Amino acid sequence: MLHVERGGNGPLLVLLHGLGATGEVWEDVVRDWHGSWLVPDLPGHGRSGRIDRYSFGSLAAAVAEVVPREPVTVVGHSLGGVVALTLASGWFGVDVTRCVGVGIKVRWTDEELAKAASLAARPAKVLATEEEAAERASRMAGVPVRHGVSEVDGGWAPSLDVRAFGVGRPDLPGLVMAAKAEVVLAAGENDPMCPREHLEELVPEPVVFPGVGHNAHVESPSSVGLLLGQPAR
């Protein structure tokens, strides 16, 4: 079962967070959205339940269950961006008209994939206090998270199901080719995971947000808002 936040009226915007984060990272983006919005915690994250197996398809299927059957714009960051592209294929019954991927990692080495698989196989670390667990959850997400911890037997732990690290390498060229929506790929100017030249392997004109890093939607939500057609504050 996914935890979902909703608000607004009008054209629907669906926002998908990255690995380790929660839907709260989009708060400053949805504040100025002119229509309606829907923000889930992905499976195994935050206040959402876990699933048996983490793949881009299983994550997309879970999100598709909570998205109304109407035209939507889907925006995703990092892992969420890959899930957004997966939904844009139309394979899961979501009518995506525009898909925006922010900070999607394009190139993966075998060493990086092996490290991710190793993280996915580790047991969750139980900490003595909620504060320690929150600090660890925020480090794993790369951004502060308020709803990323759970009380467990003997202490506290990040809510993130570490098995999600084993999601694997996305077939980004295949997903972009399969998309039935307008695809926009973007990244922060200083994002080491997602340089412009890597995005140019997928789309001819990626958007670069000046002066920000991997978490552009948190560092400069107005930049993402402008990309979505929101007026500047």
Side-chain angles (χ1 to χ4, degrees):
M1 190 74 175
L2 293 191
H3 175 87
V4 179
E5 300 284 345
R6 295 179 173 87
N9 293 286
L12 180 59
L13 178 68
V14 177
L15 299 117
L16 307 175
H17 62 79
L19 181 63
T22 66
E24 68 194 88
V25 297
W26 298 107
E27 288 176 351
D28 288 336
V29 175
V30 301
R31 184 172 292 122
D32 293 327
W33 177 244
H34 58 269
S36 59
W37 50 268
L38 184 153
V39 181
D41 289 351
L42 292 176
H45 292 72
R47 292 161 285 182
S48 289
R50 301 184 175 196
I51 55 179
D52 292 336
R53 179 176 175 271
Y54 292 90
S55 68
F56 303 112
S58 65
L59 294 171
V63 172
E65 291 182 2
V66 300
V67 177
R69 293 309 186 253
E70 61 185 74
V72 301
T73 295
V74 182
V75 182
H77 173 251
S78 198
L79 168 65
V82 182
V83 177
L85 283 170
T86 306
L87 289 169
S89 67
W91 299 332
F92 298 89
V94 178
D95 182 10
V96 181
T97 58
R98 192 178 193 218
C99 174
V100 180
V102 179
I104 298 176
K105 182 173 171 61
V106 176
R107 298 182 186 175
W108 288 85
T109 65
D110 290 341
E111 290 77 14
E112 289 170 335
L113 291 168
K115 181 179 179 180
S118 175
L119 288 171
R122 292 181 185 175
K125 188 171 184 178
V126 177
L127 299 160
T129 68
E130 184 178 3
E131 291 73 19
E132 288 176 288
E135 181 180 350
R136 181 171 177 82
S138 295
R139 286 202 308 270
M140 295 168 73
V143 290
V145 291
R146 296 192 307 273
H147 303 297
V149 301
S150 302
E151 191 170 8
V152 296
D153 291 339
W156 294 82
S159 300
L160 172 65
D161 185 350
V162 294
R163 294 181 301 135
F165 279 103
V167 72
R169 187 201 314 262
D171 177 13
L172 292 174
L175 288 173
V176 171
M177 186 176 297
K180 294 179 170 60
E182 174 194 3
V183 172
V184 178
L185 298 183
E189 177 184 25
N190 302 320
D191 185 351
M193 297 175 62
C194 190
R196 180 189 182 102
E197 59 268 24
H198 291 188
L199 293 179
E200 287 174 341
E201 298 173 7
L202 300 172
V203 295
E205 296 184 9
V207 176
V208 177
F209 301 121
V212 296
H214 183 59
N215 293 292
H217 56 311
V218 176
E219 298 172 55
S220 181
S222 61
S223 297
V224 177
L226 287 172
L227 179 59
L228 296 173
Q230 296 172 192
R233 282 196 258 179

